[in-house]
Amino acid sequence: MNCHNVPLDAPILKKQNKILLMGNPNVGKSVFFTELTGIHAMSSNYTGTTVNFMEGRITIEEKEYTLIDVPGTYSLSPSSEAEAVATRFMESGAKAIICVLDASNLERNLRLALELQQFSIPILYTLNLTDVAQRHGISLNTAVLAKELGGPVISTIAVKKQGIKQLEKELALLLKDSDETNIQKSCDTCPFHNPNKSDSAKDLWARAKEINQRVSKKETSNPSFIDKLGDAMLKPFPGIPIALLVMFVTIALVIFGGRGLRAAALLPLVNGLIVPFFRNVFTAILPEGIFLNILIGEFGIFVISFEWILALIFPYVLLFYVAFTFLEDTGFLPRISVLFDNVMRKLGIQGGSLIYMIMGYGCAVPAIIGSRAATSRKERIVISAAICFAIPCISQTGAIISLLSAYAWWMIPAMLLFSLLLFILVTLVAGKVVKGNVEPLLLEVPNLLMPNPKAYGRKLLTRMKHFLREAEIPMMLAILIAALLAESGLLDAIAIYAQPIVSNWLGLPDQAVIALILGIVRREMSVAPLLALDLTALQAFVGGVVSLMYIPCISVFAILTKEFKIRVALLISVGTIFLAIFVGGFINQIAHLFL
């Protein structure tokens, strides 16, 4: 179950056998959730990944409990939507809390741990990332820490499954010893809050510092190469050159690697084996006619679905997630946010927003959801507008690359520059139009890490499964619509009415109207039909521009409505349609003046 705005009467809050997984952002809570429940939760090496809660079942001593991966929070005085959800869960009470502490940044984590003690709920503490602490020359006395916190403390390295079994044993003992009848209730809305333990933020920080000094010892050690690199990447030099190099290599991997994978393996597989197989099967059992054409005709379901989804989109999606998953697990993304914060501030948003923009290249939906970690509604709307207007999802990007690369090498860099210019303009305009303030950048920069191979592979596999599950049905629906429109003759009729816009203004063939229709269902479907048309280089570029800015697909419109209400969703959607058609036609008309 996922939720970002948990009402007071939400069923999840009323569940009795809840165990809350609490901690600061970026301490590995989601890894613990995965190991304890078997349900894979996405974990990343940057703040603000878990903005929804995750719910799973665990059985302890033959009794079933609900484990909830609560959004990461620094405090129970919320400054963002994600932190508000965490606070609401604490106020609802629980059987126990698993508080995850970062051993390499213990003092900051202890502040939240002490605040959790203001609620009369048993707490089990896990001291995670102990390997990183050791790398930094930090040694911790868990026995003294347990005494100071008044509860069991388990040393763990979650990504390597170290300490998980001991954690399960200690959790069973904690639940066995807890007695709900002795829990003091102080009010109706916060029944588990204990006013006798309330401390000011200043007192909590002082106490956290005191405990940290007692339990930790810092030894002089030579920083490892990866630590030196992590520090260097935060400085303008060599940080900016490194960031630009990484982005260049990533783009090259996706573009050239995707084209190579498509040409060498997927196209021969689709055109030489899969499509001929289905053509032979259906031709042998069905008579010629509309039904046969819908299955294996020009827009046939068993032709286009493989050509578009498998051969056109899949290779670029796969390689994008190979690179993106690696970069987010290393801790690279927060570093470029810090490096480019001054630039982003001039555009009206903080550098941390870059993380969500980059996520948008994967898919707009999780990027918009991820922006819940932003501290103001204005920043969230600006981020969402920039993603919808100027940032194509990876499947859409793959389709645009396939379209443009068939004409000239310079068209892809030109489209990238156009996308960057559009991003700057949209962000500037939205920042002026949307009322509100943007808070200064407060972003935790995690340790630079080499991803754990098993955790990395599991996340990559989960992402690809998620893409296929979420994208397959809408894409198949779009292909079915295309087949029905083509075989029924409606496509030709629509093309006649759309001719002033499609042919006269945009300069595209009449049949290109199908791209505008299907783009509403899925963003990449605004490009895919153009591949089957005999376009000129100018027509291909105009088609790419229109697709880049065109209306967000149904799923994006739905999440915009959920997050910001129908008015904002309609404004963004109508704005993208108008701007896409206007700018595409403007480029076409200007080009014809010089050709």
Side-chain angles (χ1 to χ4, degrees):
M1 178 177 180
N2 294 317
C3 180
H4 77 284
N5 184 16
V6 185
L8 287 170
D9 60 347
I12 187 66
L13 297 180
K14 297 179 180 180
K15 289 192 175 183
Q16 297 300 312
N17 285 2
K18 294 198 304 289
I19 299 174
L20 303 181
L21 195 54
M22 301 288 297
N24 287 178
N26 198 46
V27 295
K29 292 187 301 85
S30 297
V31 182
F32 283 100
F33 180 85
T34 298
E35 298 299 335
L36 293 172
T37 65
I39 301 173
H40 185 71
M42 206 64 72
S43 57
S44 305
N45 195 15
Y46 58 83
T47 300
T49 305
T50 308
V51 291
N52 295 354
F53 69 82
M54 293 292 297
E55 175 187 355
R57 305 288 185 189
I58 60 173
T59 301
I60 301 174
E61 299 291 333
E62 299 182 351
K63 190 173 182 179
E64 190 175 83
Y65 295 86
T66 299
L67 181 65
I68 298 173
D69 182 12
V70 179
T73 180
Y74 294 106
S75 169
L76 297 180
S77 300
S79 59
S80 69
E81 291 184 49
E83 291 187 343
V85 174
T87 303
R88 186 67 55 80
F89 272 113
M90 283 300 303
E91 292 173 347
S92 73
K95 285 283 190 180
I97 298 170
I98 302 173
C99 178
V100 183
L101 305 172
D102 179 356
S104 65
N105 292 286
L106 185 59
E107 182 177 326
R108 185 203 65 217
N109 285 240
L110 284 173
R111 194 258 189 231
L112 176 64
L114 294 172
E115 194 171 7
L116 295 178
Q117 292 180 0
Q118 296 177 3
F119 293 78
S120 298
I121 304 172
I123 305 175
L124 170 62
Y125 303 93
T126 70
L127 197 59
N128 197 35
L129 299 170
T130 53
D131 54 337
V132 178
Q134 290 173 0
R135 197 178 77 197
H136 292 172
I138 300 172
S139 59
L140 299 166
N141 190 322
T142 55
V144 176
L145 181 59
K147 184 177 179 180
E148 292 289 341
L149 293 175
V153 177
I154 311 299
S155 293
T156 60
I157 305 176
V159 295
K160 298 179 181 179
K161 299 185 180 181
Q162 293 183 16
I164 298 297
K165 293 297 183 182
Q166 187 181 357
L167 169 63
E168 292 174 334
K169 292 178 181 178
E170 290 291 342
L171 180 59
L173 291 174
L174 187 71
L175 291 168
K176 185 177 180 180
D177 293 340
S178 65
D179 185 358
E180 267 196 336
T181 60
N182 293 326
I183 294 177
Q184 178 180 353
K185 296 187 177 182
S186 60
C187 65
D188 292 333
T189 56
C190 306
F192 288 87
H193 190 265
N194 187 344
N196 297 323
K197 291 187 178 180
S198 295
D199 293 307
S200 66
K202 184 178 180 180
D203 292 338
L204 291 171
W205 279 119
R207 176 67 176 146
K209 183 177 182 180
E210 179 185 350
I211 295 175
N212 183 58
Q213 290 174 344
R214 289 183 182 179
V215 305
S216 66
K217 182 179 179 181
K218 184 75 163 67
E219 299 176 358
T220 303
S221 61
N222 294 323
S224 65
F225 171 77
I226 195 168
D227 290 328
K228 291 179 181 178
L229 179 61
D231 292 339
M233 291 173 67
L234 290 170
K235 301 173 183 177
F237 185 84
I240 292 178
I242 291 174
L244 294 176
L245 176 62
V246 169
M247 287 188 280
F248 174 79
V249 171
T250 300
I251 292 171
L253 171 67
V254 174
I255 293 177
F256 297 108
R259 288 180 61 187
L261 181 60
R262 181 171 180 256
L266 297 178
L267 278 176
L269 177 65
V270 169
N271 295 330
L273 182 62
I274 298 177
V275 172
F277 170 78
F278 283 105
R279 278 206 172 109
N280 292 334
V281 169
F282 288 116
T283 302
I285 62 176
L286 294 174
E288 291 187 4
I290 293 179
F291 186 61
L292 182 62
N293 289 338
I294 289 175
L295 294 177
I296 58 170
E298 180 184 2
F299 288 98
I301 296 172
F302 287 88
V303 176
I304 299 300
S305 60
F306 294 110
E307 290 180 352
W308 288 358
I309 299 174
L310 184 57
L312 171 62
I313 296 169
F314 182 81
Y316 298 102
V317 173
L318 173 63
L319 291 176
F320 172 81
Y321 280 128
V322 165
F324 180 77
T325 302
F326 179 82
L327 292 179
E328 69 173 355
D329 280 7
T330 59
F332 172 78
L333 298 182
R335 285 169 166 77
I336 65 171
S337 295
V338 172
L339 283 172
F340 293 99
D341 181 55
N342 288 335
V343 175
M344 299 299 289
R345 295 289 299 183
K346 292 179 181 178
L347 298 180
I349 54 179
Q350 57 172 256
S353 302
L354 267 178
I355 291 177
Y356 313 119
M357 305 295 185
I358 295 172
M359 287 176 66
Y361 281 102
C363 179
V365 173
I368 294 171
I369 293 174
S371 70
R372 292 173 187 163
T375 56
S376 70
R377 187 173 187 270
K378 173 180 179 175
E379 187 172 6
R380 292 200 63 204
I381 293 178
V382 173
I383 291 169
S384 300
I387 290 171
C388 291
F389 276 93
I391 297 180
C393 66
I394 185 56
S395 52
Q396 184 182 15
T397 301
I400 292 175
I401 291 171
S402 296
L403 176 66
L404 299 183
S405 61
Y407 294 90
W409 68 267
W410 57 264
M411 293 182 71
I412 295 176
M415 187 62 69
L416 289 173
L417 290 175
F418 176 79
S419 175
L420 178 61
L421 177 62
L422 185 62
F423 166 76
I424 293 172
L425 292 175
V426 170
T427 305
L428 285 172
V429 172
K432 297 292 184 182
V433 172
V434 181
K435 296 180 180 179
N437 298 314
V438 176
E439 301 294 332
L441 176 64
L442 295 173
L443 179 67
E444 175 193 358
V445 179
N447 297 294
L448 193 67
L449 301 173
M450 285 303 295
N452 177 269
K454 290 184 179 179
Y456 170 82
R458 184 165 54 188
K459 180 192 287 191
L460 180 61
L461 181 61
T462 300
R463 279 202 160 120
M464 294 309 300
K465 286 181 178 178
H466 178 78
F467 166 76
L468 292 174
R469 183 174 63 249
E470 296 296 322
E472 185 175 5
I473 294 177
M475 283 193 283
M476 291 298 291
L477 176 62
I479 292 167
L480 177 60
I481 292 172
L484 292 174
L485 289 175
E487 295 304 323
S488 65
L490 286 175
L491 182 60
D492 293 333
I494 295 173
I496 293 174
Y497 287 102
Q499 190 175 33
I501 294 176
V502 175
S503 300
N504 299 344
W505 176 246
L506 295 175
L508 298 174
D510 292 347
Q511 300 93 321
V513 70
I514 189 67
L516 300 181
I517 297 172
L518 299 185
I520 298 173
V521 182
R522 284 283 302 181
R523 299 180 82 179
E524 64 271 17
M525 292 303 173
S526 62
V527 188
L530 301 179
L531 293 167
L533 303 178
D534 186 18
L535 303 178
T536 64
L538 175 60
Q539 287 175 326
F541 190 80
V542 169
V545 167
V546 173
S547 171
L548 174 68
M549 296 186 292
Y550 195 53
I551 183 173
C553 57
I554 292 174
S555 57
V556 177
F557 181 83
I559 200 64
L560 287 172
T561 303
K562 180 180 178 181
E563 298 294 311
F564 309 112
K565 307 303 180 186
I566 189 68
R567 179 173 174 268
V568 173
L570 285 173
L571 284 173
I572 291 177
S573 299
V574 171
T576 56
I577 294 174
F578 173 80
L579 194 65
I581 294 176
F582 174 78
V583 174
F586 181 77
I587 292 174
N588 175 59
Q589 301 299 324
I590 293 297
H592 274 97
L593 292 177
F594 297 97
L595 295 179

